[in-house]
Amino acid sequence: MLRLLPDIFRIITREYGDTYEISVVDFIKYLEKIDKDSLSPENIRSMQAGGGIKAICDIIRKQIIGDMTE
């Protein structure tokens, strides 16, 4: 989750401007997008076999922010 904070921060400041004071509520809006079922123990185990933490982070990033090229 910590790896995603800079990405979320960039999106929020792009949307509201550099002087906007980001609150926890702003981050929660993005974190609520996580599909908790995709992080089930079975899914985590299969992701760890295929790429570990990076694979898990990539799945969460896509759920929270989507494609960063948009």
Side-chain angles (χ1 to χ4, degrees):
M1 302 305 279
L2 292 176
R3 291 181 183 190
L4 298 175
L5 289 178
D7 293 332
I8 295 170
F9 182 79
R10 273 192 293 279
I11 290 169
I12 292 171
T13 55
R14 190 178 331 140
E15 185 175 342
Y16 296 104
D18 291 338
T19 59
Y20 180 75
E21 292 187 25
I22 297 174
S23 71
V24 172
V25 175
D26 295 312
F27 286 108
I28 289 173
K29 178 176 81 172
Y30 288 92
L31 298 179
E32 287 176 335
K33 296 179 180 183
I34 298 172
D35 175 12
K36 291 161 192 72
D37 292 334
S38 70
L39 301 176
S40 69
E42 297 81 21
N43 288 341
I44 295 291
R45 277 192 287 278
S46 69
M47 284 185 262
Q48 287 175 332
I53 297 299
K54 182 176 180 337
I56 295 166
C57 188
D58 288 345
I59 285 176
I60 294 172
R61 176 176 280 116
K62 286 177 185 173
Q63 291 176 8
I64 292 176
I65 3 187
D67 184 2
M68 288 295 290
T69 60
E70 296 176 344

